[in-house]
Amino acid sequence: MAGKISSTDVHHIQGHNVDDMISDLPEGVLLHILSLLPTKDVVRTSVLATKWRHLWTYLSVFDFKIPYPLYNKSKDQNQNSVNCLLDLVGRLLRKSNCVERLSIDIFEIAVDGDKVSSLISSASKHKLQYLKLSLGVPNDKFALPHCFSAFESLNELCLGLKFTLCIPSDICFPSLKKLVVSDVTFANEESVQQLFSGCPVLQELTLYNCYWENIEQISVAISTLRKLTIYFDLCCVDDEDDYMTVMIDAVNLLSLSCTCHAAIRFIPVNLTSIVDAHVHLEDDSQLVPVLYVAHCIFELLSGLNNVKSLDITNDTLECLIDRTEVDLNLLPTFHNLTHLYVYNFTDESTATSGVLPDILRKTPKLEVLYIPTVVREYLDGEDSLLNSLPCCLKSSLKRLHILYFFGDEDEIEFVMLFLKNASFFREIQLANVEKVADIQDQLQSVGLGTYVEACCGLGHSRIIIFNRVQIPGCFLVQDLCRSLLLLVLPLVQIDLNNLIL
Amino acid sequence: MAEEKSQASSSKMLTLKASDGVLFEVELNIAKEMKTVQAYIDDCEDIETIPIPNVLGKHLAIVIEYIKKTNEEYDAEFEKQWNMDDLQLLLLAANYLNISGLQECLCKAIAKRIENKSPEYVRKVFNIENDHSPEEEAKLRKEYKWAFEGVDKD
């Protein structure tokens, strides 16, 4: 901590003195206290006394926000507040030279483009590492100033300029590692390409709620990229002919997350390094031809076949349900996939998609599987060829998690089927279980070993069904505990049937 | 031989003398957490009593106890016991004695107590005299209007 009081200074300030002690602390200590306060508080200290007037400007981290308009004020008054804040920030940036992290976050209201350009220009003179700009209204146009290229030390940028952005061709962020583009409207394909090619060392890119006017294809071709998150408005497809293509060419990409309308076509190119992927594509509009959607999803999944861990929603799988449209036998094998999580985006307890058995035929190394409910397709005795048990059951599957389990006949049959046929199986976890005791009884009555685990803080319990036969070690530990208890507590009356281990 | 020596030094006791004459016997390793005291010892090895002319006995006691007991739980409860005057005096003491953990704890405590408070409240709590002219203050309040919206009522 900078600054230390000498003993002679402090000599004045012995115990009984109720004078202004705080103002006599070394500047470094005072600044440290200020750095622990929100920016609003810090700016207010300017009026405390003349000594404090400029102290706050020596800080290096600032967070200016007007998150929503004040409802007891008129639109003009709100506009006025916003302009006043932008002027304040402008003055700070001109006076100080040590700002390192700056955030300006203003609710949706028109702002003067010149003021914004001037702010950015003033900011370029600092050694900014982090910058967040979230302001503007969608219908206004704004040209990113050229001085953005002077941000040599910028590591992280959140560009939430809600305008229709025009991006200069020489834009360059030499040190930028993380970029979040949020609520931006891109006027044309060139803008998008210029922005991406201006980030030579980019590692993380997030595209959140952007609007692509008259844009048919965008290409995310960034060789240094490790993480890509795409989150588009799930209802943004309004014109049937207006489907967009997103090409992803990132050989070092480790993590991909896509949440958007199923009409968006992803073209994965050379994603050989990919480790985990999260996919939620849905089509609520029902305007898009089912065949097109099915092909898009098929293409995306095929391009992700190197992945180790995959989160995918039931809604996405449901788009592939009609087998006459797309032959899932043509899906490549997912050689590295060990963890597969299937879940519901909206209604949590919707049944697991009937497409899952087709997917599981392509996952020979699967170790952990999460599903919302049991997969009834495996119980159809008739079409046994179509729904034969997946090979990973015998070769690698260790754990199965079922999110919703109600204890009916089919469900118990499913559990028995899996346990009987699994070689490496350790356990099945049943998550949201009501009437825990009843279901435990049912399971135990068919010879399954179970124990209950309380989920801390969630108010419900999990039932774990362990594989007695296949994993003797596991079995022994459980039974050993019971035996020990029998030895140790012979005189105590305990109803062992209700003992939860 | 080295073991014996280190055993001896870790149980060596030191006396600290507060500004009001109160004496505190502390173990060497406790005293060394105060970098100012450490520097004193480095300069004069055989010293047994170290004068702390700026800190009252009452506050030195609190500081020593902090050093002995500091951990996450203790720190969280520590600041609640002291009023603003004591917090400031403790911060001055921690600053003089150069104990970084305690300084950090106290800075956080002080910041917490003035968060979202009006300038009038902050002035009162710290006894800061407002030497702005009314015109100057009005001008600042107008320029920094954004910062004065939504502040806690005193």
Side-chain angles (χ1 to χ4, degrees):
Chain A
M1 191 167 298
K4 216 173 78 67
I5 273 187
S6 78
S7 61
T8 39
D9 285 342
V10 181
H11 204 71
H12 304 305
I13 315 176
Q14 300 209 23
H16 324 288
N17 196 328
V18 289
D19 278 356
D20 177 2
M21 296 176 269
I22 199 122
S23 302
D24 285 333
L25 275 171
E27 195 172 275
V29 178
L30 285 181
L31 280 175
H32 187 71
I33 296 177
L34 289 186
S35 76
L36 298 167
L37 290 166
T39 302
K40 251 191 178 176
D41 289 50
V42 150
V43 173
R44 276 204 304 280
T45 62
S46 58
V47 310
L48 290 176
T50 53
K51 179 179 170 165
W52 291 77
R53 198 186 301 190
H54 300 296
L55 187 65
W56 69 276
T57 65
Y58 301 140
L59 290 171
S60 55
V61 178
F62 294 95
D63 185 2
F64 296 100
K65 54 176 163 240
I66 309 183
Y68 38 77
L70 287 175
Y71 293 102
N72 55 353
K73 289 194 173 178
S74 73
K75 188 169 180 215
D76 273 347
Q77 283 174 318
N78 273 310
Q79 186 78 67
N80 201 280
S81 300
V82 169
N83 286 332
C84 198
L85 175 61
L86 292 176
D87 288 337
L88 191 171
V89 180
R91 276 196 304 277
L92 166 70
L93 290 173
R94 285 189 294 275
K95 178 174 194 304
S96 154
N97 63 357
C98 54
V99 179
E100 288 173 9
R101 294 178 65 95
L102 174 66
S103 169
I104 306 175
D105 190 347
I106 300 179
F107 67 93
E108 219 170 87
I109 190 169
V111 290
D112 181 351
D114 287 336
K115 257 204 234 285
V116 178
S117 288
S118 151
L119 259 180
I120 295 174
S121 179
S122 305
S124 67
K125 301 188 178 78
H126 297 250
K127 292 199 177 56
L128 271 182
Q129 290 167 18
Y130 171 93
L131 176 63
K132 175 176 174 175
L133 291 173
S134 179
L135 42 84
V137 280
N139 293 324
D140 288 352
K141 284 194 165 46
F142 182 75
L144 269 188
H146 292 263
C147 63
F148 242 129
S149 311
F151 284 87
E152 285 176 356
S153 25
L154 199 63
N155 261 332
E156 198 175 325
L157 173 63
C158 291
L159 203 60
L161 297 174
K162 301 183 182 76
F163 310 103
T164 301
L165 268 195
C166 179
I167 304 199
S169 55
D170 59 350
I171 197 94
C172 180
F173 299 99
S175 315
L176 198 66
K177 296 226 176 88
K178 185 170 169 182
L179 175 62
V180 175
V181 183
S182 162
D183 303 294
V184 167
T185 302
F186 288 98
N188 50 44
E189 277 174 46
E190 286 81 44
S191 304
V192 185
Q193 297 321 129
Q194 265 143 26
L195 180 61
F196 293 162
S197 46
C199 305
V201 297
L202 196 66
Q203 290 180 6
E204 277 185 48
L205 174 64
T206 300
L207 300 173
Y208 184 92
N209 264 352
C210 294
Y211 292 91
W212 317 91
E213 253 171 33
N214 306 315
I215 294 177
E216 284 176 11
Q217 171 161 316
I218 64 168
S219 170
V220 180
I222 303 172
S223 63
T224 50
L225 200 65
R226 293 192 194 161
K227 184 171 173 181
L228 176 61
T229 305
I230 291 178
Y231 191 105
F232 295 163
D233 189 354
L234 291 165
C235 328
C236 81
V237 171
D238 37 23
D239 189 333
E240 283 174 50
D241 300 316
D242 221 336
Y243 308 146
M244 202 170 87
T245 301
V246 177
M247 178 155 91
I248 304 172
D249 182 356
V251 71
N252 288 306
L253 194 70
L254 301 173
S255 170
L256 173 67
S257 173
C258 299
T259 304
C260 58
H261 197 282
I264 306 229
R265 181 185 170 204
F266 289 95
I267 305 177
V269 173
N270 212 12
L271 298 183
T272 49
S273 311
I274 192 123
V275 172
D276 64 88
H278 167 272
V279 178
H280 172 63
L281 302 171
E282 74 173 42
D283 173 24
D284 264 351
S285 72
Q286 316 214 312
L287 292 173
V288 188
V290 169
L291 179 58
Y292 183 78
V293 163
H295 275 293
C296 286
I297 296 179
F298 183 89
E299 194 173 9
L300 175 59
L301 285 180
S302 303
L304 292 175
N305 74 319
N306 286 313
V307 85
K308 290 193 176 133
S309 166
L310 176 64
D311 280 15
I312 188 164
T313 57
N314 236 1
D315 310 81
T316 312
L317 290 178
E318 283 294 287
C319 294
L320 296 166
I321 194 91
D322 191 340
R323 288 186 183 80
T324 61
E325 307 286 4
V326 153
D327 185 359
L328 289 174
N329 277 319
L330 299 175
L331 259 183
T333 308
F334 286 73
H335 287 292
N336 303 319
L337 190 66
T338 55
H339 287 66
L340 177 61
Y341 304 88
V342 181
Y343 67 100
N344 285 305
F345 192 76
T346 39
D347 184 3
E348 282 200 334
S349 56
T350 306
T352 306
S353 170
V355 170
L356 188 65
D358 294 296
I359 306 286
L360 291 181
R361 268 196 278 281
K362 301 288 177 178
T363 60
K365 301 269 169 65
L366 195 65
E367 294 176 16
V368 177
L369 176 63
Y370 276 69
I371 45 181
T373 65
V374 303
V375 187
R376 290 174 204 269
E377 280 73 12
Y378 283 121
L379 302 171
D380 296 339
E382 299 167 23
D383 246 323
S384 57
L385 251 181
L386 211 55
N387 292 317
S388 58
L389 293 174
C391 58
C392 55
L393 203 53
K394 288 233 172 338
S395 61
S396 55
L397 195 63
K398 293 192 184 115
R399 255 180 28 227
L400 175 65
H401 292 249
I402 305 172
L403 196 55
Y404 281 90
F405 193 87
F406 305 98
D408 67 29
E409 244 178 68
D410 276 356
E411 290 179 317
I412 307 249
E413 198 189 321
F414 174 86
V415 164
M416 299 286 293
L417 189 65
F418 259 65
L419 283 173
K420 208 163 58 179
N421 285 284
S423 306
F424 295 89
F425 223 49
R426 290 212 198 115
E427 62 185 36
I428 299 182
Q429 284 198 21
L430 308 174
N432 288 317
V433 182
E434 295 173 355
K435 304 184 202 159
V436 169
D438 288 348
I439 294 188
Q440 241 197 325
D441 283 342
Q442 273 179 293
L443 293 167
Q444 277 164 346
S445 70
V446 291
L448 294 172
T450 69
Y451 63 94
V452 175
E453 219 173 63
C455 294
C456 314
L458 290 173
H460 59 75
S461 309
R462 279 200 290 238
I463 295 180
I464 320 258
I465 307 170
F466 58 89
N467 194 344
R468 256 205 171 114
V469 177
Q470 307 294 3
I471 309 290
C474 184
F475 171 77
L476 277 174
V477 166
Q478 297 294 322
D479 280 7
L480 195 61
C481 287
R482 285 179 185 250
S483 313
L484 278 173
L485 275 168
L486 279 169
L487 281 173
V488 163
L489 305 165
L491 299 173
V492 182
Q493 305 264 337
I494 298 177
D495 184 356
L496 280 174
N497 286 329
N498 286 328
L499 188 70
I500 296 169
L501 275 171
Chain B
M1 276 298 275
E3 262 181 42
E4 278 173 24
K5 190 175 173 190
S6 63
Q7 266 180 355
S9 62
S10 67
S11 62
K12 183 180 170 196
M13 302 301 271
L14 214 61
T15 306
L16 301 175
K17 184 173 171 185
S19 60
D20 48 3
V22 181
L23 296 171
F24 295 90
E25 234 196 336
V26 293
E27 286 175 10
L28 189 64
N29 57 334
I30 303 282
K32 281 182 168 193
E33 290 295 315
M34 311 180 204
K35 299 269 183 317
T36 307
V37 171
Q38 168 83 73
Y40 214 110
I41 299 171
D42 289 342
D43 279 345
C44 346
E45 277 175 15
D46 296 325
I47 195 97
E48 281 186 9
T49 305
I50 298 174
I52 314 279
N54 324 300
V55 186
L56 282 176
K58 161 183 168 186
H59 295 119
L60 192 53
I62 297 170
V63 168
I64 291 169
E65 176 143 339
Y66 176 89
I67 296 174
K68 285 184 185 164
K69 292 191 179 168
T70 178
N71 62 32
E72 244 176 72
E73 257 181 68
Y74 183 79
D75 285 11
E77 296 301 306
F78 176 75
E79 56 99 356
K80 292 179 188 169
Q81 318 165 51
W82 318 116
N83 64 32
M84 201 40 132
D85 283 343
D86 279 329
L87 276 183
Q88 290 175 76
L89 287 164
L90 284 168
L91 180 55
L92 284 169
N95 182 262
Y96 171 70
L97 293 167
N98 202 346
I99 309 165
S100 55
L102 182 55
Q103 281 189 85
E104 181 66 29
C105 181
L106 292 165
C107 282
K108 281 190 182 147
I110 291 174
K112 202 163 117 181
R113 292 199 194 185
I114 57 172
E115 191 170 323
N116 209 32
K117 299 291 187 204
S118 68
E120 291 75 23
Y121 180 97
V122 177
R123 279 190 202 120
K124 197 168 113 190
V125 136
F126 290 142
N127 269 301
I128 298 175
E129 195 194 307
N130 183 3
D131 55 352
H132 277 128
S133 74
E135 296 81 29
E136 281 173 342
E137 185 171 333
K139 185 168 166 234
L140 283 170
R141 280 178 183 261
K142 189 172 168 203
E143 251 181 73
Y144 300 144
K145 204 169 63 165
W146 165 78
F148 289 91
E149 276 154 7
V151 178
D152 282 354
K153 296 253 182 289
D154 288 353

